[in-house]
Amino acid sequence: MSDPDESVPPTGEQVHVPRPSWLPVLLAVGLMLALIGVTISIVLTIIGLLISLPVIVLWIRSTREDMSELPPGH
């Protein structure tokens, strides 16, 4: 009787799953405040933009770090 592990082909590429992050939620909150601020108050717009812009930069930076960890040719 043969070993069941011998009939299993070797695994291929691993699936890349990004790390969990609060950045999408923070971006949604910042954009929501900015859009509501357009109709209500310039102060909310400024607060929303002050939240959104750094979050966008952080999200792009973390995505670039994740992409650099992938194997070459991926």
Side-chain angles (χ1 to χ4, degrees):
M1 190 155 161
S2 67
D3 186 18
D5 291 332
E6 291 177 13
S7 62
V8 176
T11 58
E13 294 184 23
Q14 293 183 347
V15 176
H16 173 71
V17 178
R19 295 181 291 245
S21 174
W22 284 95
L23 295 176
V25 175
L26 290 175
L27 181 60
V29 169
L31 292 176
M32 178 191 65
L33 286 174
L35 290 173
I36 290 173
V38 168
T39 60
I40 295 177
S41 168
I42 190 72
V43 175
L44 281 178
T45 303
I46 293 171
I47 292 171
L49 291 176
L50 288 175
I51 293 171
S52 298
L53 293 176
V55 168
I56 290 171
V57 170
L58 289 172
W59 197 354
I60 291 171
R61 187 178 294 160
S62 69
T63 301
R64 289 177 60 102
E65 289 173 6
D66 281 349
M67 296 298 285
S68 69
E69 294 173 3
L70 291 175
H74 206 335

